[in-house]
């Protein structure tokens, strides 16, 4: 899988709160289960975490463990 690395625009805003990402500690996320689409930028881990929680993105993923299996 090949991915191109590029620096976002200086005015790029956070996908969650709308703040400019470079005023904080930016994070880039790609959904590589869906053809590694366009990156989504968050200004920090708190916004990423809130986005994941509000969109229920962990439901059904590897967050469950059963010792019987």
């Amino acid at each position: 899988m090949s991915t191109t690395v590029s620096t976002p625009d200086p005015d790029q805003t956070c996908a969650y709160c709308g703040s400019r990402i470079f005023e904080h500690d930016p994070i880039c996320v790609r959904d590589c289960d869906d053809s590694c689409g366009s990156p989504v930028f968050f200004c920090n881990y708190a916004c990423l975490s809130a986005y994941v929680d509000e969109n229920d993105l962990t439901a059904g993923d590897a967050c469950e463990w059963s010792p019987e299996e």
Side-chain angles (χ1 to χ4, degrees):
M1 166 181 5
S2 175
T3 300
T4 302
V5 177
S6 62
T7 303
D9 184 66
D11 294 324
Q12 178 68 48
T13 58
C14 176
Y16 181 73
C17 74
S19 295
R20 290 176 50 179
I21 62 169
F22 288 116
E23 292 177 358
H24 305 279
D25 190 17
I27 301 159
C28 173
V29 178
R30 286 183 185 261
D31 181 1
C32 284
D33 287 338
D34 189 21
S35 301
C36 282
S38 298
V40 178
F41 299 97
F42 297 90
C43 63
N44 58 46
Y45 283 102
C47 283
L48 172 58
S49 178
Y51 181 86
V52 167
D53 289 345
E54 286 184 10
N55 291 284
D56 202 24
L57 299 176
T58 59
D61 285 341
C63 295
E64 297 179 23
W65 177 72
S66 176
E68 293 83 30
E69 292 180 11

